[in-house]
Amino acid sequence: MMREAKLPYIVVVTNPTTGGVTASYAMLGDVQIAEPGALIGFAGARVIEQTSAKNCRTDFSARNI
């Protein structure tokens, strides 16, 4: 609908935005805006830990964005 109306699709994401939200719609926008220091990822800490059988660091974050 946004494309047909020739309007930009602007996504505003908050900390954390991971998993299904990221895959479903957050990265489909024309412009993504995130709060400073927000963790944005395809998988969250829980999924990473279950998949790799290793614990994520306690400061697991995306600080270097």
Side-chain angles (χ1 to χ4, degrees), residues 21-48:
V21 173
T22 304
S24 297
Y25 76 92
M27 296 302 126
L28 298 178
D30 297 306
V31 177
Q32 292 85 13
I33 301 171
E35 62 183 327
L39 173 65
I40 311 298
F42 190 76
R46 180 181 53 83
V47 172
I48 293 169

Side-chain angles (χ1 to χ4, degrees), residues 1-2 4 12 16 18 22 26 32 61:
M1 289 178 6
M2 299 294 282
E4 289 174 9
V12 179
T18 59
T22 304
Q32 292 85 13
S61 66

Side-chain angles (χ1 to χ4, degrees), residues 3 5 7-8 10 12 15 18 25 30-31 36-37 43 45 50 52 58 61-64:
R3 183 175 291 151
L7 296 171
I10 301 171
V12 179
N15 183 42
T18 59
Y25 76 92
D30 297 306
V31 177
Q50 289 174 346
S52 67
T58 55
S61 66
R63 291 186 211 168
N64 297 322

